[in-house]
Amino acid sequence: MEGFGAGLIHPLITAHHLLLLLALGMLTGQGHLLKLKVPMLLFVPLSGLALFLTTRIEIPAELQLVILCVALCAALLLAASTPIAGWAFAPAFALAALALGLDSGVRVGAPTSATATTLVAIWISLNVCIVNIAYYTSLCPRHKWVQIGFRVAGSWIAAICAMVLAFALKTQFLN
Amino acid sequence: MKTRFCPPTAPSAKGPDRVLQRWMRLAMLTAVMVVPALAHAHSETGTVGGLISGFLHPLTGLDHIAAMVAVGIWGAWLGAPAMWLLPVIFPLVMALGGALGVLGVPLPGVETAIALSGIVLGTMVTFAIRPPLWIAATLVGFFAIFHGYAHGAELPSAANAITYSVGFVTATGLLHLGGIAVGLLIRWPWGRVAVRACGGAIAATGFAFLFGLA
């Protein structure tokens, strides 16, 4: 799938990417104050760098497991409604940016212009998605039932990630 | 003297009527979205097949449905914080059981435990038993492992694991929410009777499965 449009929707139709974006975005938006400046100062360039690297190096398939692990951790914290120190988001965003970017490479042998267009679109989409999820989460009213809804969403995402990790463990290491 | 004929104005939809209309629209939309799945146009393979397979898995077993709804009803009966704590804990522990099932870790008595979950949780609701929160959470967590194990062990090998997991976690969560909605009827006297009757039906279902009658 190539092209600007395909790149824009890529994070939304890639399930494990979407899980990470949702978990990390909602966790970030749950804070008392939305602090995105430092995390995004890391996310924006690192995601771009990772996407560029996909055209230069071989990307291992196990990267999906890294994405699911980060999503699982974020979702567990979201479900537990644990207060997170502001500085902790920076390394999480950095790791997420690298993992998402490296896992979003286009197929080998694609024309250079098409590749570049797709990668730029993916880069834009990743950044827009995570900022919007965090922003709109922070706008949600601090009503008890809304907070419970986020905790339930976190537990669902964590459950999904745990199941998929177990399946990946079985297929890659036990078979 | 001329009089203008004013047709009777329809009562404006306010309050409960508006809420009811909203819920009916949502139910119709959900039904329309489910109809293509009923056509069984897709096998269990692939992304869409995995999602459908996972979503239907908790819904095709009456023992699963009974226990999931019972968790929601019991949570509503116990009140806050159990009402929202149980639906948060259950998917997590269920996923742990699911992981064990996927990995093929031997776990004895899965079907027996699933049947027992219906009996125990149904009995709790029928007799309006309100234990301390930690006991309720432990009990629910214990049974969640076995339910999750059954889902994980039956994961189709050709199905997309992520969409299968999304499907069955979503279906389980919706069953919980349905149970909570039923459990909220206890605010009325007739509702308490109805909810306890539901608990009895759930316990009876568990007995039927335990003794091989269903």
Side-chain angles (χ1 to χ4, degrees), chain A residues 1-165:
Chain A
M1 231 179 135
E2 290 164 5
F4 192 78
L8 283 180
I9 66 172
H10 179 270
L12 302 176
I13 61 174
T14 308
H16 52 290
H17 288 203
L18 188 59
L19 288 174
L20 175 53
L21 291 170
L22 284 172
L24 197 55
M26 286 194 285
L27 184 64
T28 311
Q30 285 284 288
H32 181 63
L33 290 173
L34 184 60
K35 295 178 181 176
L36 275 180
K37 185 176 178 182
V38 172
M40 289 310 294
L41 281 175
L42 291 170
F43 193 92
V44 172
L46 285 177
S47 57
L49 174 66
L51 285 166
F52 173 73
L53 284 176
T54 61
T55 62
R56 293 289 181 270
I57 61 175
E58 188 73 27
I59 306 300
E62 287 81 11
L63 203 55
Q64 183 180 354
L65 302 181
V66 174
I67 293 175
L68 288 169
C69 285
V70 178
L72 175 63
C73 294
L76 284 173
L77 291 172
L78 181 63
S81 196
T82 308
I84 310 294
W87 59 265
F89 287 107
F93 269 66
L95 184 58
L98 288 171
L100 289 170
L102 288 172
D103 197 50
S104 300
V106 296
R107 65 178 175 85
V108 177
T112 309
S113 59
T115 301
T117 305
T118 308
L119 292 178
V120 167
I122 293 173
W123 179 66
I124 293 172
S125 183
L126 284 174
N127 288 279
V128 167
C129 282
I130 199 160
V131 166
N132 274 275
I133 292 170
Y135 175 68
Y136 286 108
T137 300
S138 70
L139 288 182
C140 288
R142 299 290 170 176
H143 192 270
K144 181 183 172 185
W145 287 106
V146 176
Q147 302 308 310
I148 289 170
F150 281 117
R151 295 185 71 167
V152 171
S155 76
W156 287 18
I157 294 173
I160 293 165
C161 291
M163 283 287 297
V164 180
L165 282 169

Side-chain angles (χ1 to χ4, degrees), chain B:
Chain B
M1 188 172 79
K2 287 184 179 178
T3 57
R4 291 176 68 185
F5 174 70
C6 297
T9 56
S12 60
K14 291 181 182 177
D17 288 337
R18 200 168 185 181
V19 173
L20 182 63
Q21 282 183 9
R22 209 173 279 173
W23 279 110
M24 284 178 64
R25 270 188 229 124
L26 182 62
M28 285 169 61
L29 181 63
T30 306
V32 167
M33 288 168 67
V34 165
V35 163
L38 295 176
H40 296 290
H42 300 277
S43 66
E44 290 182 337
T45 60
T47 303
V48 177
L51 179 66
I52 295 171
S53 177
F55 190 83
L56 290 178
H57 193 269
L59 302 179
T60 53
L62 193 55
D63 49 351
H64 284 294
I65 295 176
M68 300 302 108
V69 172
V71 169
I73 294 177
W74 197 32
W77 192 273
L78 293 170
M83 185 161 58
W84 52 263
L85 196 63
L86 294 182
V88 170
I89 290 176
F90 194 96
L92 293 173
V93 183
M94 185 181 68
L96 176 63
L100 295 177
V102 168
L103 294 172
V105 174
L107 188 66
V110 173
E111 293 303 321
T112 304
I114 290 174
L116 278 174
S117 69
I119 296 172
V120 171
L121 296 174
T123 305
M124 293 291 180
V125 172
T126 304
F127 295 102
I129 300 172
R130 290 191 171 95
L133 181 62
W134 69 271
I135 293 179
T138 304
L139 207 57
V140 167
F142 175 75
F143 291 126
I145 290 178
F146 291 93
H147 282 274
Y149 188 93
H151 293 315
E154 293 166 24
L155 169 63
S157 58
N160 185 296
I162 287 187
T163 53
Y164 181 90
S165 303
V166 168
F168 94 79
V169 169
T170 305
T172 301
L174 291 176
L175 286 171
H176 284 157
L177 291 176
I180 291 174
V182 171
L184 290 176
L185 296 175
I186 59 172
R187 63 179 64 183
W188 293 284
W190 61 266
R192 288 191 208 102
V193 175
V195 167
R196 292 173 82 159
C198 283
I202 290 169
T205 303
F207 273 112
F209 275 95
L210 185 66
F211 294 107
L213 301 175

